[in-house]
mmCIF file of all heavy atoms in Angstrom:
data_model
loop_
_atom_site.group_PDB
_atom_site.id
_atom_site.type_symbol
_atom_site.label_atom_id
_atom_site.label_comp_id
_atom_site.label_asym_id
_atom_site.label_seq_id
_atom_site.Cartn_x
_atom_site.Cartn_y
_atom_site.Cartn_z
ATOM 1 N N LEU X 17 0.832 -1.210 0.000
ATOM 2 C CA LEU X 17 0.000 0.000 0.000
ATOM 3 C C LEU X 17 0.861 1.253 0.000
ATOM 4 O O LEU X 17 0.588 2.206 -0.739
ATOM 5 C CB LEU X 17 -0.904 0.016 1.238
ATOM 6 C CG LEU X 17 -2.200 -0.778 1.202
ATOM 7 C CD1 LEU X 17 -2.842 -0.798 2.585
ATOM 8 C CD2 LEU X 17 -3.158 -0.186 0.189
ATOM 9 N N GLY X 18 1.900 1.253 0.830
ATOM 10 C CA GLY X 18 2.769 2.417 0.890
ATOM 11 C C GLY X 18 3.601 2.604 -0.356
ATOM 12 O O GLY X 18 3.923 3.736 -0.738
ATOM 13 N N SER X 19 3.970 1.491 -1.003
ATOM 14 C CA SER X 19 4.792 1.588 -2.202
ATOM 15 C C SER X 19 3.980 2.070 -3.395
ATOM 16 O O SER X 19 4.403 2.956 -4.138
ATOM 17 C CB SER X 19 5.432 0.230 -2.521
ATOM 18 O OG SER X 19 6.249 -0.196 -1.452
ATOM 19 N N ASN X 20 2.792 1.476 -3.583
ATOM 20 C CA ASN X 20 1.954 1.858 -4.730
ATOM 21 C C ASN X 20 0.546 1.330 -4.483
ATOM 22 O O ASN X 20 0.261 0.157 -4.734
ATOM 23 C CB ASN X 20 2.527 1.290 -6.031
ATOM 24 C CG ASN X 20 1.868 1.905 -7.256
ATOM 25 O OD1 ASN X 20 0.665 2.134 -7.282
ATOM 26 N ND2 ASN X 20 2.657 2.158 -8.287
ATOM 27 N N GLU X 21 -0.327 2.203 -3.998
ATOM 28 C CA GLU X 21 -1.680 1.772 -3.658
ATOM 29 C C GLU X 21 -2.468 1.331 -4.890
ATOM 30 O O GLU X 21 -3.198 0.345 -4.851
ATOM 31 C CB GLU X 21 -2.434 2.896 -2.945
ATOM 32 C CG GLU X 21 -3.817 2.465 -2.476
ATOM 33 C CD GLU X 21 -4.560 3.566 -1.739
ATOM 34 O OE1 GLU X 21 -3.916 4.556 -1.348
ATOM 35 O OE2 GLU X 21 -5.789 3.414 -1.542
ATOM 36 N N ALA X 22 -2.317 2.060 -5.998
ATOM 37 C CA ALA X 22 -3.059 1.717 -7.215
ATOM 38 C C ALA X 22 -2.655 0.335 -7.727
ATOM 39 O O ALA X 22 -3.518 -0.491 -8.078
ATOM 40 C CB ALA X 22 -2.820 2.771 -8.282
ATOM 41 N N ALA X 23 -1.356 0.064 -7.772
ATOM 42 C CA ALA X 23 -0.885 -1.245 -8.233
ATOM 43 C C ALA X 23 -1.359 -2.348 -7.300
ATOM 44 O O ALA X 23 -1.700 -3.456 -7.743
ATOM 45 C CB ALA X 23 0.635 -1.247 -8.332
ATOM 46 N N THR X 24 -1.391 -2.068 -6.000
ATOM 47 C CA THR X 24 -1.874 -3.048 -5.030
ATOM 48 C C THR X 24 -3.346 -3.358 -5.269
ATOM 49 O O THR X 24 -3.769 -4.515 -5.209
ATOM 50 C CB THR X 24 -1.682 -2.509 -3.592
ATOM 51 O OG1 THR X 24 -0.312 -2.161 -3.397
ATOM 52 C CG2 THR X 24 -2.085 -3.549 -2.571
ATOM 53 N N ARG X 25 -4.132 -2.331 -5.555
ATOM 54 C CA ARG X 25 -5.559 -2.526 -5.825
ATOM 55 C C ARG X 25 -5.766 -3.337 -7.104
ATOM 56 O O ARG X 25 -6.608 -4.240 -7.145
ATOM 57 C CB ARG X 25 -6.253 -1.165 -5.931
ATOM 58 C CG ARG X 25 -7.762 -1.265 -6.120
ATOM 59 C CD ARG X 25 -8.450 0.072 -5.941
ATOM 60 N NE ARG X 25 -7.964 1.070 -6.888
ATOM 61 C CZ ARG X 25 -7.181 2.099 -6.573
ATOM 62 N NH1 ARG X 25 -6.789 2.262 -5.314
ATOM 63 N NH2 ARG X 25 -6.788 2.968 -7.486
ATOM 64 N N TYR X 26 -4.991 -3.044 -8.147
ATOM 65 C CA TYR X 26 -5.122 -3.760 -9.410
ATOM 66 C C TYR X 26 -4.643 -5.204 -9.314
ATOM 67 O O TYR X 26 -5.014 -6.043 -10.145
ATOM 68 C CB TYR X 26 -4.348 -3.041 -10.517
ATOM 69 C CG TYR X 26 -4.942 -1.699 -10.894
ATOM 70 C CD1 TYR X 26 -4.132 -0.610 -11.163
ATOM 71 C CD2 TYR X 26 -6.330 -1.531 -10.968
ATOM 72 C CE1 TYR X 26 -4.673 0.631 -11.502
ATOM 73 C CE2 TYR X 26 -6.886 -0.304 -11.298
ATOM 74 C CZ TYR X 26 -6.049 0.769 -11.563
ATOM 75 O OH TYR X 26 -6.589 1.991 -11.893
ATOM 76 N N SER X 27 -3.840 -5.503 -8.297
ATOM 77 C CA SER X 27 -3.368 -6.874 -8.117
ATOM 78 C C SER X 27 -4.399 -7.747 -7.404
ATOM 79 O O SER X 27 -4.158 -8.926 -7.167
ATOM 80 C CB SER X 27 -2.056 -6.882 -7.333
ATOM 81 O OG SER X 27 -2.271 -6.453 -5.993
ATOM 82 N N GLY X 28 -5.537 -7.161 -7.053
ATOM 83 C CA GLY X 28 -6.627 -7.932 -6.457
ATOM 84 C C GLY X 28 -6.779 -7.773 -4.965
ATOM 85 O O GLY X 28 -7.631 -8.432 -4.357
ATOM 86 N N VAL X 29 -5.999 -6.910 -4.354
ATOM 87 C CA VAL X 29 -6.085 -6.685 -2.916
ATOM 88 C C VAL X 29 -7.186 -5.670 -2.612
ATOM 89 O O VAL X 29 -7.305 -4.646 -3.304
ATOM 90 C CB VAL X 29 -4.738 -6.175 -2.362
ATOM 91 C CG1 VAL X 29 -4.864 -5.818 -0.883
ATOM 92 C CG2 VAL X 29 -3.649 -7.207 -2.569
ATOM 93 N N ASP X 30 -8.005 -5.958 -1.614
ATOM 94 C CA ASP X 30 -9.036 -5.015 -1.183
ATOM 95 C C ASP X 30 -8.352 -3.927 -0.342
ATOM 96 O O ASP X 30 -8.238 -4.028 0.884
ATOM 97 C CB ASP X 30 -10.102 -5.733 -0.356
ATOM 98 C CG ASP X 30 -11.310 -4.852 -0.056
ATOM 99 O OD1 ASP X 30 -11.201 -3.618 -0.212
ATOM 100 O OD2 ASP X 30 -12.355 -5.393 0.352
ATOM 101 N N THR X 31 -7.871 -2.891 -1.018
ATOM 102 C CA THR X 31 -7.074 -1.859 -0.347
ATOM 103 C C THR X 31 -7.895 -1.067 0.659
ATOM 104 O O THR X 31 -7.370 -0.627 1.688
ATOM 105 C CB THR X 31 -6.460 -0.899 -1.372
ATOM 106 O OG1 THR X 31 -7.508 -0.345 -2.197
ATOM 107 C CG2 THR X 31 -5.466 -1.622 -2.272
ATOM 108 N N ARG X 32 -9.180 -0.878 0.396
ATOM 109 C CA ARG X 32 -10.006 -0.112 1.325
ATOM 110 C C ARG X 32 -10.176 -0.853 2.650
ATOM 111 O O ARG X 32 -10.071 -0.255 3.729
ATOM 112 C CB ARG X 32 -11.365 0.193 0.688
ATOM 113 C CG ARG X 32 -11.273 1.135 -0.516
ATOM 114 C CD ARG X 32 -12.619 1.544 -1.045
ATOM 115 N NE ARG X 32 -13.346 0.394 -1.595
ATOM 116 C CZ ARG X 32 -14.510 0.490 -2.241
ATOM 117 N NH1 ARG X 32 -15.083 1.684 -2.406
ATOM 118 N NH2 ARG X 32 -15.106 -0.578 -2.709
ATOM 119 N N ARG X 33 -10.407 -2.137 2.552
ATOM 120 C CA ARG X 33 -10.535 -2.933 3.770
ATOM 121 C C ARG X 33 -9.206 -2.945 4.539
ATOM 122 O O ARG X 33 -9.190 -2.863 5.776
ATOM 123 C CB ARG X 33 -10.939 -4.355 3.402
ATOM 124 C CG ARG X 33 -11.249 -5.245 4.597
ATOM 125 C CD ARG X 33 -11.753 -6.590 4.120
ATOM 126 N NE ARG X 33 -12.047 -7.479 5.234
ATOM 127 C CZ ARG X 33 -12.503 -8.725 5.096
ATOM 128 N NH1 ARG X 33 -12.725 -9.203 3.881
ATOM 129 N NH2 ARG X 33 -12.746 -9.465 6.148
ATOM 130 N N ALA X 34 -8.103 -3.043 3.803
ATOM 131 C CA ALA X 34 -6.785 -3.048 4.448
ATOM 132 C C ALA X 34 -6.528 -1.726 5.168
ATOM 133 O O ALA X 34 -5.973 -1.706 6.277
ATOM 134 C CB ALA X 34 -5.698 -3.307 3.404
ATOM 135 N N LEU X 35 -6.924 -0.605 4.549
ATOM 136 C CA LEU X 35 -6.715 0.697 5.182
ATOM 137 C C LEU X 35 -7.527 0.831 6.470
ATOM 138 O O LEU X 35 -7.057 1.422 7.449
ATOM 139 C CB LEU X 35 -7.084 1.815 4.208
ATOM 140 C CG LEU X 35 -6.043 2.175 3.145
ATOM 141 C CD1 LEU X 35 -6.604 3.170 2.155
ATOM 142 C CD2 LEU X 35 -4.778 2.735 3.802
ATOM 143 N N VAL X 36 -8.729 0.304 6.472
ATOM 144 C CA VAL X 36 -9.541 0.341 7.701
ATOM 145 C C VAL X 36 -8.830 -0.426 8.808
ATOM 146 O O VAL X 36 -8.760 0.029 9.962
ATOM 147 C CB VAL X 36 -10.946 -0.232 7.442
ATOM 148 C CG1 VAL X 36 -11.729 -0.332 8.753
ATOM 149 C CG2 VAL X 36 -11.714 0.646 6.452
ATOM 150 N N LYS X 37 -8.261 -1.580 8.472
ATOM 151 C CA LYS X 37 -7.522 -2.371 9.462
ATOM 152 C C LYS X 37 -6.312 -1.599 9.978
ATOM 153 O O LYS X 37 -5.981 -1.663 11.165
ATOM 154 C CB LYS X 37 -7.072 -3.695 8.847
ATOM 155 C CG LYS X 37 -8.186 -4.682 8.573
ATOM 156 C CD LYS X 37 -7.623 -5.963 7.985
ATOM 157 C CE LYS X 37 -8.716 -6.983 7.696
ATOM 158 N NZ LYS X 37 -8.164 -8.228 7.085
ATOM 159 N N VAL X 38 -5.640 -0.873 9.092
ATOM 160 C CA VAL X 38 -4.464 -0.089 9.468
ATOM 161 C C VAL X 38 -4.812 0.906 10.570
ATOM 162 O O VAL X 38 -4.122 0.998 11.600
ATOM 163 C CB VAL X 38 -3.888 0.655 8.243
ATOM 164 C CG1 VAL X 38 -2.940 1.780 8.679
ATOM 165 C CG2 VAL X 38 -3.161 -0.314 7.326
ATOM 166 N N TYR X 39 -5.899 1.633 10.390
ATOM 167 C CA TYR X 39 -6.237 2.686 11.356
ATOM 168 C C TYR X 39 -6.894 2.127 12.614
ATOM 169 O O TYR X 39 -6.793 2.735 13.684
ATOM 170 C CB TYR X 39 -7.096 3.759 10.674
ATOM 171 C CG TYR X 39 -6.249 4.601 9.756
ATOM 172 C CD1 TYR X 39 -6.120 4.278 8.411
ATOM 173 C CD2 TYR X 39 -5.535 5.690 10.239
ATOM 174 C CE1 TYR X 39 -5.306 5.020 7.572
ATOM 175 C CE2 TYR X 39 -4.723 6.437 9.407
ATOM 176 C CZ TYR X 39 -4.604 6.100 8.081
ATOM 177 O OH TYR X 39 -3.785 6.837 7.251
ATOM 178 N N ILE X 40 -7.559 0.973 12.503
ATOM 179 C CA ILE X 40 -8.048 0.312 13.719
ATOM 180 C C ILE X 40 -6.872 -0.120 14.580
ATOM 181 O O ILE X 40 -6.852 0.103 15.809
ATOM 182 C CB ILE X 40 -8.929 -0.905 13.375
ATOM 183 C CG1 ILE X 40 -10.264 -0.446 12.782
ATOM 184 C CG2 ILE X 40 -9.175 -1.762 14.616
ATOM 185 C CD1 ILE X 40 -11.154 -1.585 12.310
ATOM 186 N N LEU X 41 -5.854 -0.723 13.959
ATOM 187 C CA LEU X 41 -4.666 -1.149 14.696
ATOM 188 C C LEU X 41 -3.948 0.044 15.317
ATOM 189 O O LEU X 41 -3.504 -0.012 16.477
ATOM 190 C CB LEU X 41 -3.720 -1.907 13.766
ATOM 191 C CG LEU X 41 -2.419 -2.426 14.373
ATOM 192 C CD1 LEU X 41 -2.696 -3.333 15.571
ATOM 193 C CD2 LEU X 41 -1.599 -3.184 13.324
ATOM 194 N N SER X 42 -3.863 1.144 14.578
ATOM 195 C CA SER X 42 -3.237 2.355 15.104
ATOM 196 C C SER X 42 -3.993 2.868 16.329
ATOM 197 O O SER X 42 -3.395 3.245 17.344
ATOM 198 C CB SER X 42 -3.191 3.437 14.023
ATOM 199 O OG SER X 42 -2.639 4.636 14.523
ATOM 200 N N GLY X 43 -5.318 2.857 16.256
ATOM 201 C CA GLY X 43 -6.132 3.316 17.381
ATOM 202 C C GLY X 43 -5.977 2.436 18.613
ATOM 203 O O GLY X 43 -5.877 2.938 19.743
ATOM 204 N N VAL X 44 -5.945 1.112 18.414
ATOM 205 C CA VAL X 44 -5.804 0.190 19.550
ATOM 206 C C VAL X 44 -4.449 0.369 20.225
ATOM 207 O O VAL X 44 -4.341 0.379 21.462
ATOM 208 C CB VAL X 44 -6.001 -1.266 19.076
ATOM 209 C CG1 VAL X 44 -5.628 -2.249 20.186
ATOM 210 C CG2 VAL X 44 -7.446 -1.491 18.645
ATOM 211 N N LEU X 45 -3.381 0.520 19.423
ATOM 212 C CA LEU X 45 -2.056 0.758 19.993
ATOM 213 C C LEU X 45 -2.027 2.072 20.778
ATOM 214 O O LEU X 45 -1.422 2.151 21.855
ATOM 215 C CB LEU X 45 -0.997 0.772 18.886
ATOM 216 C CG LEU X 45 -0.650 -0.587 18.272
ATOM 217 C CD1 LEU X 45 0.207 -0.411 17.026
ATOM 218 C CD2 LEU X 45 0.068 -1.475 19.285
ATOM 219 N N ALA X 46 -2.691 3.096 20.244
ATOM 220 C CA ALA X 46 -2.771 4.370 20.966
ATOM 221 C C ALA X 46 -3.490 4.188 22.294
ATOM 222 O O ALA X 46 -3.121 4.800 23.310
ATOM 223 C CB ALA X 46 -3.486 5.416 20.109
ATOM 224 N N SER X 47 -4.508 3.339 22.313
ATOM 225 C CA SER X 47 -5.245 3.090 23.555
ATOM 226 C C SER X 47 -4.358 2.413 24.598
ATOM 227 O O SER X 47 -4.446 2.733 25.787
ATOM 228 C CB SER X 47 -6.468 2.214 23.265
ATOM 229 O OG SER X 47 -7.179 1.938 24.446
ATOM 230 N N VAL X 48 -3.508 1.484 24.163
ATOM 231 C CA VAL X 48 -2.579 0.841 25.103
ATOM 232 C C VAL X 48 -1.632 1.890 25.692
ATOM 233 O O VAL X 48 -1.327 1.867 26.892
ATOM 234 C CB VAL X 48 -1.782 -0.273 24.403
ATOM 235 C CG1 VAL X 48 -0.764 -0.883 25.374
ATOM 236 C CG2 VAL X 48 -2.706 -1.353 23.871
ATOM 237 N N ALA X 49 -1.183 2.825 24.843
ATOM 238 C CA ALA X 49 -0.359 3.925 25.353
ATOM 239 C C ALA X 49 -1.140 4.755 26.368
ATOM 240 O O ALA X 49 -0.578 5.241 27.359
ATOM 241 C CB ALA X 49 0.118 4.806 24.202
ATOM 242 N N GLY X 50 -2.434 4.922 26.124
ATOM 243 C CA GLY X 50 -3.284 5.635 27.076
ATOM 244 C C GLY X 50 -3.342 4.921 28.422
ATOM 245 O O GLY X 50 -3.317 5.563 29.481
ATOM 246 N N VAL X 51 -3.409 3.592 28.410
ATOM 247 C CA VAL X 51 -3.385 2.809 29.648
ATOM 248 C C VAL X 51 -2.083 3.061 30.411
ATOM 249 O O VAL X 51 -2.071 3.277 31.628
ATOM 250 C CB VAL X 51 -3.531 1.300 29.349
ATOM 251 C CG1 VAL X 51 -3.361 0.486 30.629
ATOM 252 C CG2 VAL X 51 -4.879 1.004 28.709
ATOM 253 N N VAL X 52 -0.960 3.038 29.661
ATOM 254 C CA VAL X 52 0.358 3.214 30.289
ATOM 255 C C VAL X 52 0.473 4.605 30.918
ATOM 256 O O VAL X 52 0.920 4.748 32.069
ATOM 257 C CB VAL X 52 1.475 2.997 29.246
ATOM 258 C CG1 VAL X 52 2.831 3.430 29.804
ATOM 259 C CG2 VAL X 52 1.522 1.529 28.829
ATOM 260 N N MET X 53 0.054 5.651 30.179
ATOM 261 C CA MET X 53 0.142 7.012 30.723
ATOM 262 C C MET X 53 -0.764 7.182 31.932
ATOM 263 O O MET X 53 -0.383 7.763 32.945
ATOM 264 C CB MET X 53 -0.210 8.034 29.629
ATOM 265 C CG MET X 53 0.844 8.185 28.551
ATOM 266 S SD MET X 53 0.577 9.610 27.463
ATOM 267 C CE MET X 53 -0.894 9.093 26.575
ATOM 268 N N MET X 54 -1.988 6.667 31.832
ATOM 269 C CA MET X 54 -2.933 6.763 32.932
ATOM 270 C C MET X 54 -2.397 6.062 34.177
ATOM 271 O O MET X 54 -2.490 6.582 35.301
ATOM 272 C CB MET X 54 -4.261 6.120 32.504
ATOM 273 C CG MET X 54 -5.322 6.058 33.578
ATOM 274 S SD MET X 54 -6.789 5.135 33.029
ATOM 275 C CE MET X 54 -6.151 3.463 33.066
ATOM 276 N N ALA X 55 -1.805 4.885 33.977
ATOM 277 C CA ALA X 55 -1.279 4.124 35.105
ATOM 278 C C ALA X 55 -0.041 4.789 35.708
ATOM 279 O O ALA X 55 0.134 4.787 36.928
ATOM 280 C CB ALA X 55 -0.942 2.700 34.651
ATOM 281 N N ARG X 56 0.822 5.359 34.862
ATOM 282 C CA ARG X 56 2.036 6.008 35.373
ATOM 283 C C ARG X 56 1.712 7.226 36.221
ATOM 284 O O ARG X 56 2.292 7.454 37.272
ATOM 285 C CB ARG X 56 2.928 6.447 34.197
ATOM 286 C CG ARG X 56 3.885 5.375 33.699
ATOM 287 C CD ARG X 56 4.993 5.984 32.900
ATOM 288 N NE ARG X 56 5.884 6.753 33.755
ATOM 289 C CZ ARG X 56 6.464 7.884 33.413
ATOM 290 N NH1 ARG X 56 6.225 8.429 32.233
ATOM 291 N NH2 ARG X 56 7.274 8.502 34.239
ATOM 292 N N PHE X 57 0.753 8.035 35.750
ATOM 293 C CA PHE X 57 0.427 9.279 36.452
ATOM 294 C C PHE X 57 -0.670 9.095 37.497
ATOM 295 O O PHE X 57 -0.965 10.025 38.243
ATOM 296 C CB PHE X 57 -0.006 10.347 35.445
ATOM 297 C CG PHE X 57 1.004 10.621 34.362
ATOM 298 C CD1 PHE X 57 0.603 10.806 33.052
ATOM 299 C CD2 PHE X 57 2.359 10.689 34.647
ATOM 300 C CE1 PHE X 57 1.530 11.053 32.052
ATOM 301 C CE2 PHE X 57 3.290 10.947 33.661
ATOM 302 C CZ PHE X 57 2.875 11.121 32.357
#
């Protein structure tokens, strides 16, 4: 996706679904950081 999203889409990959997964994973990792900050302070 980062190298060439259009080529990835034409190769048969559901790029939209993959992007949703990317940002869900980013959000969950941010939440774990929120747990760590909350617990530290």
